[in-house]
Amino acid sequence: MLKFIHAADFHLDSPFGALTAQQAAARRRESRELGFRLANYVNQQGIDLVLLAGDLFDSSSAFRETGEQLAQAFGQMRARVFISPGNHDWYGPGSPWLTVDWPENVTIFRENRLTAVDLPDWNLSIHGAAFTGNRQAESFLAGFSAPEDGRTHFGLLHGEVDPAEDRYGPIRREEIAASGLTYLALGHIHKRTEPFRCGGTLCAWPGCPEGRGFDELGEKGFYEGTLENGAVSLQFIPFARRRYEILEVDVTEKDPRAAVEAALPPDTAQHLYRILLTGETGEGGVNAAALQEALADRFCALDIRDHTRMAEDIWARAGEDSLRGLFLRELRAKWKAAVTEEERETVTRAARFGLAALDHRDLG
């Protein structure tokens, strides 16, 4: 039985969203440790083969130190490592694939077409290709069919299946079905997909192993697979050190802090949260800045946003024959005329601050 890992899209040295400069720098340092953490897992679990489907670096001109650290980590693996460069870390002059000395157990596919490496010990062939620029308009699988030589055949590619635009390694489902591959290890899509079949070929994207912003939420990791008697089985392994999460909390008729604390899971300290406060409040609203300051120590990073709205009974005072009533009538008309939720939130904030000013209150 062969044990393998399929991972992709490390995007080392990439920017991290919704963080201060200091937090982002710390996250980039952590991301460079990913290779060593993966090496420990490979050796502890007895993994034989590591398939990396591109975009390990965020740029084709990554920091040399980053490339050297990754090469050192791969050299620690007691496994064969195969890499198909993608659109971010494409193979070409100045790229770490050319400027860094990679250990003997690492094979980098360097050509803009499918080439194969045979692994006789496992009766297996690995077929891979490299982006040689930041675009790849042609399918690597066009016209390809694995030889009928009694071996099992894996494909390792960075790309998209049936995309709307042919920009990043487009692959057609019918090409996969005709390929004769047992498994196609894909990269480029940062959200993990469940394994799917095209003909007799099993395919999957593992997603990125670490989220980089609030558009990459939840558990991240890689697929661990086995090849036994010509059949592949896969299991997703969560591996991210930190997760990005978005949590909505309804504060209607509740103390905002108590409502947030009641909604929080117990394991937030290592993770990055955006909390959206929703529901109805009185004219005082919620002090999101004070709430964020009070809870910040419970998270790696915290971003609280006030999406609440004023309770309907507050707007009802627009009927008063007073400056307050005139103020609320004007804003209520603007609220009703607003087209987007963002416009309504702006009007609501204006009402809160205006009412606070009329009452000589400080909203903070």
mmCIF file of all heavy atoms in Angstrom, residues 25-63:
data_model
loop_
_atom_site.group_PDB
_atom_site.id
_atom_site.type_symbol
_atom_site.label_atom_id
_atom_site.label_comp_id
_atom_site.label_asym_id
_atom_site.label_seq_id
_atom_site.Cartn_x
_atom_site.Cartn_y
_atom_site.Cartn_z
ATOM 1 N N ALA A 25 2.956 40.354 9.734
ATOM 2 C CA ALA A 25 4.346 39.902 9.709
ATOM 3 C C ALA A 25 4.510 38.604 10.504
ATOM 4 O O ALA A 25 5.225 37.683 10.086
ATOM 5 C CB ALA A 25 5.262 40.988 10.263
ATOM 6 N N ALA A 26 3.842 38.523 11.655
ATOM 7 C CA ALA A 26 3.905 37.299 12.462
ATOM 8 C C ALA A 26 3.290 36.125 11.712
ATOM 9 O O ALA A 26 3.809 35.000 11.759
ATOM 10 C CB ALA A 26 3.187 37.517 13.786
ATOM 11 N N ARG A 27 2.175 36.366 11.002
ATOM 12 C CA ARG A 27 1.533 35.299 10.239
ATOM 13 C C ARG A 27 2.421 34.829 9.099
ATOM 14 O O ARG A 27 2.479 33.629 8.789
ATOM 15 C CB ARG A 27 0.189 35.781 9.689
ATOM 16 C CG ARG A 27 -0.878 36.004 10.722
ATOM 17 C CD ARG A 27 -1.453 34.675 11.199
ATOM 18 N NE ARG A 27 -2.382 34.150 10.231
ATOM 19 C CZ ARG A 27 -2.400 32.908 9.789
ATOM 20 N NH1 ARG A 27 -1.503 32.051 10.202
ATOM 21 N NH2 ARG A 27 -3.299 32.489 8.914
ATOM 22 N N ARG A 28 3.149 35.744 8.455
ATOM 23 C CA ARG A 28 4.054 35.335 7.376
ATOM 24 C C ARG A 28 5.187 34.470 7.933
ATOM 25 O O ARG A 28 5.611 33.500 7.289
ATOM 26 C CB ARG A 28 4.599 36.562 6.645
ATOM 27 C CG ARG A 28 3.610 37.168 5.650
ATOM 28 C CD ARG A 28 4.270 38.179 4.742
ATOM 29 N NE ARG A 28 4.682 39.370 5.466
ATOM 30 C CZ ARG A 28 3.888 40.411 5.699
ATOM 31 N NH1 ARG A 28 2.631 40.388 5.288
ATOM 32 N NH2 ARG A 28 4.336 41.459 6.345
ATOM 33 N N ARG A 29 5.672 34.822 9.124
ATOM 34 C CA ARG A 29 6.712 33.990 9.738
ATOM 35 C C ARG A 29 6.160 32.600 10.050
ATOM 36 O O ARG A 29 6.833 31.593 9.820
ATOM 37 C CB ARG A 29 7.239 34.663 11.010
ATOM 38 C CG ARG A 29 8.113 35.887 10.754
ATOM 39 C CD ARG A 29 8.864 36.300 12.015
ATOM 40 N NE ARG A 29 7.952 36.727 13.071
ATOM 41 C CZ ARG A 29 7.516 37.971 13.222
ATOM 42 N NH1 ARG A 29 7.895 38.923 12.374
ATOM 43 N NH2 ARG A 29 6.698 38.286 14.226
ATOM 44 N N GLU A 30 4.947 32.557 10.544
ATOM 45 C CA GLU A 30 4.319 31.267 10.823
ATOM 46 C C GLU A 30 4.149 30.444 9.555
ATOM 47 O O GLU A 30 4.337 29.230 9.558
ATOM 48 C CB GLU A 30 2.950 31.466 11.469
ATOM 49 C CG GLU A 30 2.978 31.912 12.915
ATOM 50 C CD GLU A 30 1.587 32.065 13.489
ATOM 51 O OE1 GLU A 30 0.598 31.923 12.733
ATOM 52 O OE2 GLU A 30 1.497 32.321 14.698
ATOM 53 N N SER A 31 3.775 31.116 8.453
ATOM 54 C CA SER A 31 3.526 30.376 7.216
ATOM 55 C C SER A 31 4.792 29.700 6.704
ATOM 56 O O SER A 31 4.722 28.636 6.075
ATOM 57 C CB SER A 31 2.954 31.324 6.137
ATOM 58 O OG SER A 31 3.939 32.214 5.639
ATOM 59 N N ARG A 32 5.952 30.312 6.985
ATOM 60 C CA ARG A 32 7.202 29.682 6.552
ATOM 61 C C ARG A 32 7.488 28.386 7.305
ATOM 62 O O ARG A 32 8.295 27.571 6.853
ATOM 63 C CB ARG A 32 8.366 30.661 6.738
ATOM 64 C CG ARG A 32 8.334 31.845 5.775
ATOM 65 C CD ARG A 32 9.513 32.764 6.022
ATOM 66 N NE ARG A 32 9.529 33.890 5.092
ATOM 67 C CZ ARG A 32 10.445 34.848 5.098
ATOM 68 N NH1 ARG A 32 11.425 34.818 6.012
ATOM 69 N NH2 ARG A 32 10.403 35.828 4.221
ATOM 70 N N GLU A 33 6.845 28.206 8.454
ATOM 71 C CA GLU A 33 7.026 26.978 9.224
ATOM 72 C C GLU A 33 6.160 25.834 8.706
ATOM 73 O O GLU A 33 6.301 24.692 9.155
ATOM 74 C CB GLU A 33 6.679 27.245 10.698
ATOM 75 C CG GLU A 33 7.561 28.301 11.357
ATOM 76 C CD GLU A 33 7.065 28.699 12.730
ATOM 77 O OE1 GLU A 33 6.074 28.065 13.194
ATOM 78 O OE2 GLU A 33 7.634 29.601 13.337
ATOM 79 N N LEU A 34 5.269 26.139 7.751
ATOM 80 C CA LEU A 34 4.350 25.125 7.249
ATOM 81 C C LEU A 34 5.083 23.913 6.694
ATOM 82 O O LEU A 34 4.698 22.767 6.940
ATOM 83 C CB LEU A 34 3.443 25.736 6.170
ATOM 84 C CG LEU A 34 2.495 24.785 5.450
ATOM 85 C CD1 LEU A 34 1.514 24.159 6.429
ATOM 86 C CD2 LEU A 34 1.744 25.525 4.342
ATOM 87 N N GLY A 35 6.166 24.159 5.938
ATOM 88 C CA GLY A 35 6.918 23.050 5.361
ATOM 89 C C GLY A 35 7.482 22.111 6.413
ATOM 90 O O GLY A 35 7.449 20.881 6.261
ATOM 91 N N PHE A 36 7.988 22.674 7.515
ATOM 92 C CA PHE A 36 8.558 21.845 8.582
ATOM 93 C C PHE A 36 7.462 21.082 9.321
ATOM 94 O O PHE A 36 7.638 19.915 9.684
ATOM 95 C CB PHE A 36 9.359 22.716 9.554
ATOM 96 C CG PHE A 36 10.574 23.342 8.929
ATOM 97 C CD1 PHE A 36 10.573 24.683 8.567
ATOM 98 C CD2 PHE A 36 11.709 22.579 8.677
ATOM 99 C CE1 PHE A 36 11.697 25.263 7.984
ATOM 100 C CE2 PHE A 36 12.832 23.148 8.094
ATOM 101 C CZ PHE A 36 12.820 24.491 7.743
ATOM 102 N N ARG A 37 6.322 21.725 9.545
ATOM 103 C CA ARG A 37 5.209 21.025 10.168
ATOM 104 C C ARG A 37 4.739 19.865 9.288
ATOM 105 O O ARG A 37 4.432 18.770 9.779
ATOM 106 C CB ARG A 37 4.049 21.993 10.410
ATOM 107 C CG ARG A 37 4.335 23.064 11.464
ATOM 108 C CD ARG A 37 3.203 24.086 11.541
ATOM 109 N NE ARG A 37 1.920 23.441 11.730
ATOM 110 C CZ ARG A 37 0.806 23.753 11.069
ATOM 111 N NH1 ARG A 37 0.842 24.719 10.144
ATOM 112 N NH2 ARG A 37 -0.310 23.131 11.300
ATOM 113 N N LEU A 38 4.700 20.115 7.978
ATOM 114 C CA LEU A 38 4.287 19.067 7.049
ATOM 115 C C LEU A 38 5.301 17.934 7.024
ATOM 116 O O LEU A 38 4.933 16.746 6.966
ATOM 117 C CB LEU A 38 4.107 19.663 5.651
ATOM 118 C CG LEU A 38 3.397 18.789 4.617
ATOM 119 C CD1 LEU A 38 1.982 18.466 5.072
ATOM 120 C CD2 LEU A 38 3.369 19.491 3.262
ATOM 121 N N ALA A 39 6.595 18.277 7.087
ATOM 122 C CA ALA A 39 7.641 17.247 7.110
ATOM 123 C C ALA A 39 7.489 16.350 8.335
ATOM 124 O O ALA A 39 7.638 15.122 8.244
ATOM 125 C CB ALA A 39 9.021 17.896 7.080
ATOM 126 N N ASN A 40 7.197 16.950 9.487
ATOM 127 C CA ASN A 40 6.991 16.149 10.692
ATOM 128 C C ASN A 40 5.826 15.190 10.519
ATOM 129 O O ASN A 40 5.895 14.019 10.910
ATOM 130 C CB ASN A 40 6.742 17.062 11.899
ATOM 131 C CG ASN A 40 7.985 17.805 12.338
ATOM 132 O OD1 ASN A 40 9.101 17.362 12.073
ATOM 133 N ND2 ASN A 40 7.798 18.936 12.997
ATOM 134 N N TYR A 41 4.745 15.682 9.915
ATOM 135 C CA TYR A 41 3.578 14.827 9.709
ATOM 136 C C TYR A 41 3.923 13.682 8.759
ATOM 137 O O TYR A 41 3.569 12.521 9.002
ATOM 138 C CB TYR A 41 2.420 15.651 9.144
ATOM 139 C CG TYR A 41 1.149 14.848 8.973
ATOM 140 C CD1 TYR A 41 0.208 14.786 9.991
ATOM 141 C CD2 TYR A 41 0.899 14.141 7.796
ATOM 142 C CE1 TYR A 41 -0.950 14.040 9.849
ATOM 143 C CE2 TYR A 41 -0.249 13.386 7.644
ATOM 144 C CZ TYR A 41 -1.179 13.339 8.676
ATOM 145 O OH TYR A 41 -2.316 12.580 8.520
ATOM 146 N N VAL A 42 4.584 14.005 7.658
ATOM 147 C CA VAL A 42 4.961 12.988 6.665
ATOM 148 C C VAL A 42 5.772 11.875 7.315
ATOM 149 O O VAL A 42 5.517 10.680 7.106
ATOM 150 C CB VAL A 42 5.744 13.647 5.512
ATOM 151 C CG1 VAL A 42 6.474 12.604 4.668
ATOM 152 C CG2 VAL A 42 4.810 14.472 4.641
ATOM 153 N N ASN A 43 6.745 12.239 8.120
ATOM 154 C CA ASN A 43 7.622 11.237 8.732
ATOM 155 C C ASN A 43 6.912 10.447 9.830
ATOM 156 O O ASN A 43 7.101 9.236 9.958
ATOM 157 C CB ASN A 43 8.880 11.917 9.277
ATOM 158 C CG ASN A 43 9.740 12.512 8.171
ATOM 159 O OD1 ASN A 43 9.659 12.097 7.008
ATOM 160 N ND2 ASN A 43 10.556 13.493 8.512
ATOM 161 N N GLN A 44 6.078 11.126 10.602
ATOM 162 C CA GLN A 44 5.370 10.439 11.674
ATOM 163 C C GLN A 44 4.325 9.460 11.144
ATOM 164 O O GLN A 44 4.096 8.398 11.742
ATOM 165 C CB GLN A 44 4.702 11.461 12.597
ATOM 166 C CG GLN A 44 5.684 12.273 13.434
ATOM 167 C CD GLN A 44 5.014 13.434 14.155
ATOM 168 O OE1 GLN A 44 3.791 13.616 14.073
ATOM 169 N NE2 GLN A 44 5.810 14.228 14.857
ATOM 170 N N GLN A 45 3.701 9.808 10.005
ATOM 171 C CA GLN A 45 2.626 8.979 9.459
ATOM 172 C C GLN A 45 3.119 7.979 8.415
ATOM 173 O O GLN A 45 2.311 7.232 7.861
ATOM 174 C CB GLN A 45 1.537 9.870 8.841
ATOM 175 C CG GLN A 45 0.892 10.832 9.823
ATOM 176 C CD GLN A 45 0.216 10.123 10.971
ATOM 177 O OE1 GLN A 45 -0.461 9.113 10.771
ATOM 178 N NE2 GLN A 45 0.395 10.632 12.189
ATOM 179 N N GLY A 46 4.419 7.985 8.132
ATOM 180 C CA GLY A 46 4.951 7.040 7.154
ATOM 181 C C GLY A 46 4.461 7.289 5.742
ATOM 182 O O GLY A 46 4.188 6.340 4.981
ATOM 183 N N ILE A 47 4.353 8.561 5.355
ATOM 184 C CA ILE A 47 3.909 8.929 4.012
ATOM 185 C C ILE A 47 5.031 8.625 3.014
ATOM 186 O O ILE A 47 6.199 8.932 3.259
ATOM 187 C CB ILE A 47 3.524 10.417 3.952
ATOM 188 C CG1 ILE A 47 2.427 10.736 4.976
ATOM 189 C CG2 ILE A 47 3.101 10.815 2.547
ATOM 190 C CD1 ILE A 47 1.125 10.008 4.771
ATOM 191 N N ASP A 48 4.663 8.034 1.882
ATOM 192 C CA ASP A 48 5.644 7.670 0.858
ATOM 193 C C ASP A 48 5.819 8.736 -0.211
ATOM 194 O O ASP A 48 6.904 8.876 -0.794
ATOM 195 C CB ASP A 48 5.212 6.365 0.158
ATOM 196 C CG ASP A 48 5.006 5.222 1.117
ATOM 197 O OD1 ASP A 48 5.989 4.814 1.758
ATOM 198 O OD2 ASP A 48 3.861 4.731 1.230
ATOM 199 N N LEU A 49 4.754 9.494 -0.484
ATOM 200 C CA LEU A 49 4.722 10.364 -1.649
ATOM 201 C C LEU A 49 3.993 11.650 -1.300
ATOM 202 O O LEU A 49 2.930 11.624 -0.672
ATOM 203 C CB LEU A 49 3.981 9.632 -2.780
ATOM 204 C CG LEU A 49 3.920 10.262 -4.161
ATOM 205 C CD1 LEU A 49 5.301 10.351 -4.778
ATOM 206 C CD2 LEU A 49 2.997 9.428 -5.048
ATOM 207 N N VAL A 50 4.568 12.794 -1.691
ATOM 208 C CA VAL A 50 3.947 14.100 -1.453
ATOM 209 C C VAL A 50 3.719 14.771 -2.803
ATOM 210 O O VAL A 50 4.666 15.002 -3.560
ATOM 211 C CB VAL A 50 4.835 14.986 -0.553
ATOM 212 C CG1 VAL A 50 4.196 16.366 -0.370
ATOM 213 C CG2 VAL A 50 5.062 14.320 0.796
ATOM 214 N N LEU A 51 2.456 15.069 -3.113
ATOM 215 C CA LEU A 51 2.070 15.702 -4.374
ATOM 216 C C LEU A 51 1.660 17.141 -4.090
ATOM 217 O O LEU A 51 0.706 17.381 -3.330
ATOM 218 C CB LEU A 51 0.901 14.945 -5.012
ATOM 219 C CG LEU A 51 1.117 13.458 -5.281
ATOM 220 C CD1 LEU A 51 -0.172 12.819 -5.792
ATOM 221 C CD2 LEU A 51 2.246 13.251 -6.277
ATOM 222 N N LEU A 52 2.354 18.097 -4.688
ATOM 223 C CA LEU A 52 2.126 19.524 -4.437
ATOM 224 C C LEU A 52 1.739 20.195 -5.744
ATOM 225 O O LEU A 52 2.571 20.344 -6.652
ATOM 226 C CB LEU A 52 3.378 20.158 -3.830
ATOM 227 C CG LEU A 52 3.835 19.522 -2.508
ATOM 228 C CD1 LEU A 52 5.170 20.084 -2.061
ATOM 229 C CD2 LEU A 52 2.788 19.717 -1.417
ATOM 230 N N ALA A 53 0.474 20.638 -5.823
ATOM 231 C CA ALA A 53 -0.098 21.078 -7.094
ATOM 232 C C ALA A 53 -0.018 22.588 -7.283
ATOM 233 O O ALA A 53 -0.991 23.229 -7.671
ATOM 234 C CB ALA A 53 -1.539 20.596 -7.206
ATOM 235 N N GLY A 54 1.143 23.168 -7.023
ATOM 236 C CA GLY A 54 1.412 24.537 -7.431
ATOM 237 C C GLY A 54 1.030 25.630 -6.464
ATOM 238 O O GLY A 54 0.361 25.422 -5.453
ATOM 239 N N ASP A 55 1.518 26.841 -6.792
ATOM 240 C CA ASP A 55 1.352 28.057 -5.988
ATOM 241 C C ASP A 55 1.826 27.861 -4.553
ATOM 242 O O ASP A 55 1.186 28.311 -3.594
ATOM 243 C CB ASP A 55 -0.101 28.543 -6.020
ATOM 244 C CG ASP A 55 -0.442 29.280 -7.304
ATOM 245 O OD1 ASP A 55 0.449 29.396 -8.167
ATOM 246 O OD2 ASP A 55 -1.585 29.724 -7.456
ATOM 247 N N LEU A 56 2.969 27.217 -4.407
ATOM 248 C CA LEU A 56 3.565 27.115 -3.078
ATOM 249 C C LEU A 56 4.101 28.469 -2.636
ATOM 250 O O LEU A 56 4.153 28.766 -1.443
ATOM 251 C CB LEU A 56 4.688 26.079 -3.065
ATOM 252 C CG LEU A 56 4.325 24.661 -3.527
ATOM 253 C CD1 LEU A 56 5.450 23.694 -3.201
ATOM 254 C CD2 LEU A 56 3.024 24.202 -2.911
ATOM 255 N N PHE A 57 4.503 29.294 -3.605
ATOM 256 C CA PHE A 57 4.915 30.670 -3.338
ATOM 257 C C PHE A 57 3.856 31.609 -3.892
ATOM 258 O O PHE A 57 3.169 31.296 -4.867
ATOM 259 C CB PHE A 57 6.277 30.973 -3.988
ATOM 260 C CG PHE A 57 7.371 30.047 -3.544
ATOM 261 C CD1 PHE A 57 7.766 28.995 -4.357
ATOM 262 C CD2 PHE A 57 8.004 30.211 -2.328
ATOM 263 C CE1 PHE A 57 8.769 28.128 -3.958
ATOM 264 C CE2 PHE A 57 9.007 29.349 -1.917
ATOM 265 C CZ PHE A 57 9.391 28.305 -2.734
ATOM 266 N N ASP A 58 3.750 32.787 -3.290
ATOM 267 C CA ASP A 58 2.761 33.751 -3.759
ATOM 268 C C ASP A 58 3.242 34.509 -4.987
ATOM 269 O O ASP A 58 2.460 35.179 -5.640
ATOM 270 C CB ASP A 58 2.429 34.743 -2.640
ATOM 271 C CG ASP A 58 1.146 35.505 -2.918
ATOM 272 O OD1 ASP A 58 0.115 34.846 -3.142
ATOM 273 O OD2 ASP A 58 1.173 36.753 -2.931
ATOM 274 N N SER A 59 4.520 34.381 -5.287
ATOM 275 C CA SER A 59 5.107 35.111 -6.411
ATOM 276 C C SER A 59 6.211 34.275 -7.032
ATOM 277 O O SER A 59 6.857 33.474 -6.347
ATOM 278 C CB SER A 59 5.675 36.451 -5.937
ATOM 279 O OG SER A 59 6.498 37.036 -6.912
ATOM 280 N N SER A 60 6.416 34.459 -8.322
ATOM 281 C CA SER A 60 7.503 33.754 -8.989
ATOM 282 C C SER A 60 8.869 34.303 -8.579
ATOM 283 O O SER A 60 9.905 33.707 -8.892
ATOM 284 C CB SER A 60 7.349 33.866 -10.513
ATOM 285 O OG SER A 60 7.406 35.230 -10.915
ATOM 286 N N SER A 61 8.889 35.434 -7.879
ATOM 287 C CA SER A 61 10.154 36.004 -7.384
ATOM 288 C C SER A 61 10.095 36.105 -5.861
ATOM 289 O O SER A 61 10.275 37.174 -5.286
ATOM 290 C CB SER A 61 10.412 37.378 -8.004
ATOM 291 O OG SER A 61 9.324 38.251 -7.756
ATOM 292 N N ALA A 62 9.816 34.982 -5.214
ATOM 293 C CA ALA A 62 9.684 34.948 -3.763
ATOM 294 C C ALA A 62 11.030 35.225 -3.099
ATOM 295 O O ALA A 62 12.091 35.126 -3.717
ATOM 296 C CB ALA A 62 9.166 33.578 -3.325
ATOM 297 N N PHE A 63 10.983 35.556 -1.797
ATOM 298 C CA PHE A 63 12.209 35.755 -1.048
ATOM 299 C C PHE A 63 13.048 34.482 -1.070
ATOM 300 O O PHE A 63 12.545 33.379 -0.858
ATOM 301 C CB PHE A 63 11.903 36.136 0.403
ATOM 302 C CG PHE A 63 11.273 37.487 0.556
ATOM 303 C CD1 PHE A 63 9.958 37.612 0.988
ATOM 304 C CD2 PHE A 63 11.997 38.638 0.274
ATOM 305 C CE1 PHE A 63 9.371 38.856 1.139
ATOM 306 C CE2 PHE A 63 11.414 39.876 0.425
ATOM 307 C CZ PHE A 63 10.105 39.993 0.853
#
